[in-house]
């Protein structure tokens, strides 16, 4: 038995096959016989065994995918085996996995037959923002200017949208200027920067807020 998974994911772990009590729907015997007869007819129509072998080993659905293989040995009628595996995806979207069981069928002149199924999992990604504020000097003499540097880093796996920063100045500080990734405006000692439309994963936006120090005291910008 093999499982195939996209290269956009890592195989973290896989368990050994174990007998399972999970209920598996039994196929209709007549349908199974019909499929087996059709497979035999296809093999008889093949021009050579080499052509048949190439058709069995070439599967466009699993080409270029990672894989994990288990040897199950012989399964008795009605017997169920189960194995689990864990993937770590690198990106969002549909994560398609294919499981294929290859087995010998004595009625098909001991040629390999393959049973195959597939499942897709929707992978969601989220942004993760880290906000930092530092000043360019500390302490600051009364009457001098101090610049606060505001940085937002997207540590997540998805773009962050419509990011807006607002910073409040305490009474001892008076607004001088503001700028950076987007422009900023002051209104009653509250500085509002224009929104950042999109911040991709791993990127950062940065602003500078300059203020003049009045009375000597410990002052913090409220961001």
């Amino acid at each position: 038995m093999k499982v195939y998974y996209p290269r956009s994911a890592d195989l973290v772990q896989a368990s050994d096959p174990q007998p399972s009590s999970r209920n598996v729907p039994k196929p209709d015997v007549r349908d199974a016989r019909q499929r087996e007869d059709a497979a035999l007819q296809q093999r008889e129509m093949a021009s050579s065994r080499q052509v048949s072998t190439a058709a069995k080993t070439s599967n466009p659905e699993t080409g270029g995918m990672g894989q994990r293989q288990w040897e199950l040995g012989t399964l008795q009628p009605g017997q169920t085996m189960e194995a689990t595996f864990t993937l770590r995806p690198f990106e969002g979207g549909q994560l398609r996995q294919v499981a294929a069981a290859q087995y010998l069928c004595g009625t098909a002149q001991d040629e390999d037959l393959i049973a195959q199924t597939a499942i897709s999992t929707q992978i969601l990604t989220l942004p993760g923002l880290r906000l930092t504020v530092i000043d360019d000097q500390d302490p600051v003499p009364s009457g001098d200017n101090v610049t606060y540097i505001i940085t937002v880093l997207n540590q997540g796996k998805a773009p962050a949208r419509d990011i807006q920063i607002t910073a409040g100045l305490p009474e001892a500080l008076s607004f001088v200027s503001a700028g950076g990734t987007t422009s900023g405006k002051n209104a009653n000692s509250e500085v509002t920067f224009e929104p950042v439309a999109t911040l991709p994963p791993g990127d950062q936006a940065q602003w500078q807020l300059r203020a003049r120090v009045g009375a000597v005291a410990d002052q913090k910008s409220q961001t």
Side-chain angles (χ1 to χ4, degrees), residues 23-100:
N23 292 324
V24 178
K26 294 183 178 180
D28 188 290
V29 175
R30 291 171 299 177
D31 291 344
R33 182 65 57 82
Q34 291 173 358
R35 288 195 299 269
E36 188 173 304
D37 291 343
L40 286 172
Q41 291 176 5
Q42 290 178 359
R43 286 173 172 78
E44 291 174 356
M45 294 173 62
S47 59
S48 67
R49 185 178 180 85
Q50 287 75 19
V51 173
S52 176
T53 302
K56 289 188 299 180
T57 56
S58 176
N59 187 344
E61 291 188 1
T62 58
M65 300 178 75
Q67 62 177 272
R68 173 67 159 86
Q69 180 173 329
W70 293 270
E71 296 294 336
L72 301 183
T74 300
L75 268 65
Q76 300 301 321
Q79 183 181 2
T80 303
M81 297 289 287
E82 182 176 276
T84 63
F85 62 98
T86 303
L87 299 176
R88 179 185 293 118
F90 305 135
E91 57 190 38
Q94 291 290 333
L95 184 67
R96 188 170 187 272
Q97 305 128 75
V98 178

